[in-house]
Each structure stands twice: as C-alpha cells, then as structure tokens.
Amino acid sequence: MTENNIRKLQQTALWLKNSYPHQPEIGIVLGSGIGNLSREIEIEFQVEYSRIPDFPVSTVKGHSGELIFGMMSGKRVMAMAGRFHFYEGYDAEQVVFPVRLMRLMGVKTLLLSNAAGGMNKDFKVGDLMMITDHISLFTFNPLIGPNAELLGPRFPDMSEPYNKNLIEKARAAALRNRIPVREGVYAGVTGPSFETRAEYRLLHMAGADAVGMSTVQETIAAVHMGMDVFAMSIITDMGIREEDNVITHEEVLQAAREAEPRLTAIFKDLIGSM
Ligand code: HPA
C-alpha cells in the first residue's frame, strides 16, 4: 500500500468519525442478493459511497451502494451494502478499502456473506455454507505491493482465516434456529465468467466445496489487520452437475434472495451471542 493510499484511508476514517460519533464493533459485508439483511439494523447513520471522500466510486450506474451504521442484536455494527469486485475493474486496494476502513473505525469482527457456486455433490441450490477455509491462489492477493506496517505484518499467518470460535458460535446459532448449514472450503476466482465444467471439476479436485468472485481478498485484508472473520455462502447454483443447464446471473440472484432470510436469522443470532 502506498503512503498516499494510507493517508487517504486515514482521512476517510476521520471524515466518517466526524459524521458518526460511535465506534462499531462488528462489520458486515452484504453479498449479491443479500441486501435485505440491512433491514435488521436500527439505523443511526447511513451514507452513500459517492458522498464519502476517497471511497471507491461504483462502476455500476444508478445505485452506488452505501455504508450503514447502527444497532443489530444489541451490538454496534457497520454494514456495507454493495461490495467492490475485482471483475468490475477495481484494483486490489480498492476492493479491500472498505474492510480496512472498518478496522480503522474500530471494527474487530468481520462477517462476510456471498453467493457461490456449489461443487460438493452433497450440496443443493439454496444451501447455506459456513466457510471453514479458502483457496485464494486463483485470484490476486490484496497485500501485493509495499506493506503498510501500520496495518499489519508483511507475511501474515493464514492458518485460521475464519475464526474457529465464531464458526462454533454460528453452528450453535443455526441449531437454535433449526436452520441446516453446511461447512466447506471456498475458492475465490476473479470472474466475471462463470467456470467451465472442467474448471469446476479442477476446483473441486483442489479441495474446494464452493466457488465465488468475492470474499477471499476481504478476508486476507482483515486477517492482515488482526480482525476475526466469519463468512457464509449461499449456494446459488451447482457447478458440478449431470444436467445440460447453463448458469445465469438471474438464477444466482433469485437463489440468494430466497435463502437470505435464513442467513439473516443466523447472522442476527450470531451477533447477539457474541
Ligand atoms: N461461480 C463463481 N461465482 C459464483 C458462482 C459460480 O458458480 N455462483 C455465484 N457466484
């Protein structure tokens, strides 16, 4: 990270602290089709990305996304409605800028959500999967470049990217709500094309149960800064399958929307139990 980018990050954090006097302890990133989760937040402050100094500008016309601050299950949270993906053309530092900003705002625990393609044959569309580990080798690493010692070490350990204690708590939350959840390894890819059949098979052989175009960079940046991370995928399509079907963005969004209430219930309970 360049000196200039560190300065921008600090200035943006200062601007936000001047706009919102409280310190959030939990950060939430809402994935594709998972925007309704923000309705569970008693909003104290809300700001569009386009109004925040030096925040990455959305490439998508219309809604730019927003940061939401407030209370959820009795805890102060900071949520990101609309994330940045590498496939949109953002560089590595832009993709993880909001996560770094969360840490500077005081966030210690990061909850990530996403839509993902399933490869584990036991999975079906609509399943929820807690991410126990990830494979990020097929995408870029957001820590490439000069290391900002202020944020974290040059060579951060990645032996437990997803906090075991949080996974344990989420298991209990799922059980309390009688919601079945899977557990597995998430492979990060750049997209935007979905994988070929051969690519899904390769990723599965490599040890991944699900694949998606986000999350791993955010996790790496968060672990670099010493945050505890929990992540959950909605399985929106099956990559390894018998049928001749194609995979469309519409069905991904549709499946995510249908599963979202279950994911939201677990996140709510998990936050309350933290
Ligand atoms: N592949 C990659 N990313 C995805 C998929 C997929 O099948 N489904 C949702 N996001």
Side-chain angles (χ1 to χ4, degrees):
M1 207 185 187
T2 61
E3 300 264 326
N4 194 32
N5 280 353
I6 297 170
R7 225 177 357 258
K8 278 186 185 166
L9 184 67
Q10 288 170 325
Q11 280 166 0
T12 306
L14 203 61
W15 184 89
L16 273 176
K17 282 176 184 166
N18 282 332
S19 314
Y20 180 72
H22 309 292
Q23 182 172 314
E25 61 177 300
I26 297 162
I28 307 173
V29 178
L30 308 176
S32 307
I34 314 176
N36 282 338
L37 192 152
S38 64
R39 291 198 190 144
E40 299 297 328
I41 301 172
E42 299 154 48
I43 298 173
E44 295 174 326
F45 177 61
Q46 191 169 9
V47 59
E48 276 189 37
Y49 295 164
S50 56
R51 290 194 42 232
I52 307 172
D54 288 316
F55 210 79
V57 179
S58 179
T59 55
V60 191
K61 284 207 186 76
H63 202 59
S64 77
E66 58 192 356
L67 289 182
I68 299 166
F69 296 82
M71 302 294 290
M72 186 166 168
S73 303
K75 306 270 166 36
R76 274 229 150 70
V77 302
M78 167 174 179
M80 191 183 167
R83 59 149 61 98
F84 302 102
H85 303 87
F86 193 58
Y87 64 75
E88 294 174 85
Y90 298 106
D91 67 33
E93 288 191 354
Q94 288 176 310
V95 169
V96 299
F97 185 90
V99 166
R100 287 176 162 157
L101 190 61
M102 283 178 172
R103 181 71 199 96
L104 263 55
M105 291 298 290
V107 169
K108 274 293 289 170
T109 305
L110 181 64
L111 309 184
L112 302 168
S113 60
N114 62 52
M119 294 172 302
N120 183 321
K121 291 191 173 65
D122 294 338
F123 290 4
K124 56 183 194 325
V125 169
D127 278 356
L128 300 179
M129 185 190 91
M130 297 197 279
I131 301 180
T132 53
D133 204 348
H134 77 215
I135 295 171
S136 71
L137 304 175
F138 299 109
T139 178
F140 65 92
N141 192 304
L143 305 183
I144 290 173
N147 184 52
E149 291 294 326
L150 190 82
L151 307 187
R154 171 75 290 188
F155 300 107
D157 173 68
M158 281 288 154
S159 57
E160 193 186 322
Y162 302 92
N163 185 274
K164 287 203 180 107
N165 187 30
L166 290 174
I167 292 173
E168 190 53 52
K169 280 186 171 6
R171 251 186 227 129
L175 214 56
R176 272 195 296 276
N177 289 274
R178 295 198 175 77
I179 298 171
V181 285
R182 312 285 195 165
E183 297 183 22
V185 174
Y186 174 98
V189 293
T190 64
S193 45
F194 290 119
E195 292 65 43
T196 64
R197 285 167 193 272
E199 286 165 346
Y200 283 116
R201 279 199 304 271
L202 168 74
L203 292 167
H204 186 50
M205 280 194 294
D209 299 289
V211 54
M213 305 173 193
S214 65
T215 303
V216 295
Q217 295 85 21
E218 292 153 350
T219 297
I220 291 170
V223 170
H224 180 234
M225 295 182 84
M227 294 161 94
D228 292 334
V229 180
F230 174 79
M232 185 173 272
S233 296
I234 295 175
I235 304 300
T236 55
D237 52 275
M238 286 303 293
I240 296 182
R241 63 218 187 249
E242 300 296 332
E243 306 97 274
D244 286 334
N245 67 307
V246 297
I247 295 169
T248 65
H249 183 54
E250 287 66 37
E251 75 178 82
V252 165
L253 287 180
Q254 181 63 24
R257 280 193 205 104
E258 279 172 23
E260 179 184 25
R262 278 179 281 133
L263 182 142
T264 300
I266 294 174
F267 272 38
K268 253 177 95 169
D269 194 330
L270 171 64
I271 290 170
S273 74
M274 280 176 1

